[in-house]
Amino acid sequence: MTDTRPGDDIAALIEAKVAAAVEQAVREAVDRLRWAPRVYGDERKLHVHPTAVVNDALFNLSSGEITVEEYAFFGHGVSVLTGTHDITVFDRARQVTVPKSGRDVVIGRGAWISTNALVLGPCRIGEHAVVAAGSVVLADVEPFTVVGGTPARVLSTISERPGGTA
């Protein structure tokens, strides 16, 4: 015969419920971190339309504002950076000499920024443009244009109405 005390069954039930709730909360927190963007700088300088999908992007707002317009979407690991450093100074000064503004980035309506692309401000990615995976964007991308490479260059253009609703 096992030696049980009154309430052991209730304690075990409560312990199991608490363990399940904690496990669920941890799983949800990890998912939020995995799929949430990372923001460096003043979050008030980041403007993401509610229809945009940015996944786990990194946004650096040190030197400007970033706007992501309607229906724009990102692959994973995209970085959009406004910050830069002054190469004419050295040591600690190089680390901390960062312009406060002037390097804004706008990602236009319906633009697709593919996985691991790097977008460096100042620039504008035009509406319905496509930035190929792994590309480095250093300048404006015209609307309905596909760019790729390092640095990104024009690969092709897209018909403005290829059966979609552009």
Side-chain angles (χ1 to χ4, degrees):
M1 179 173 194
T2 59
D3 201 16
T4 61
R5 295 178 297 189
D8 280 353
D9 290 341
I10 293 172
L13 181 62
I14 291 171
E15 185 177 319
K17 294 256 185 205
V18 168
V22 168
E23 183 180 336
Q24 178 66 24
V26 168
R27 199 169 31 251
E28 289 172 5
V30 168
D31 269 352
R32 275 193 306 277
L33 288 174
R34 183 179 297 136
W35 302 112
R38 294 168 292 149
V39 179
Y40 179 81
D42 184 352
E43 290 186 14
R44 296 173 297 179
K45 293 167 50 175
L46 176 61
H47 316 284
V48 178
H49 192 275
T51 62
V53 176
V54 297
N55 290 314
D56 60 341
L58 168 64
F59 295 106
N60 177 311
L61 301 156
S62 296
S63 301
E65 303 213 3
I66 297 172
T67 302
V68 182
E69 296 179 349
E70 301 91 341
Y71 304 106
F73 63 105
F74 294 5
H76 297 283
V78 170
S79 296
V80 183
L81 312 177
T82 67
T84 189
H85 297 270
D86 186 344
I87 65 169
T88 67
V89 297
F90 306 100
D91 300 325
R92 178 79 176 136
R94 182 180 284 174
Q95 290 177 327
V96 299
T97 305
V98 177
K100 299 294 181 211
S101 63
R103 299 183 54 83
D104 297 348
V105 175
V106 176
I107 310 292
R109 176 186 180 94
W112 172 18
I113 313 301
S114 300
T115 296
N116 290 326
L118 175 60
V119 178
L120 300 175
C123 71
R124 178 177 185 84
I125 309 296
E127 68 176 324
H128 302 288
V130 176
V131 175
S135 297
V136 178
V137 176
L138 302 173
D140 289 352
V141 175
E142 293 297 316
F144 300 95
T145 301
V146 179
V147 299
T150 305
R153 60 181 174 69
V154 174
L155 301 176
S156 64
T157 57
I158 303 167
S159 170
E160 291 191 31
R161 293 194 184 268
T165 58

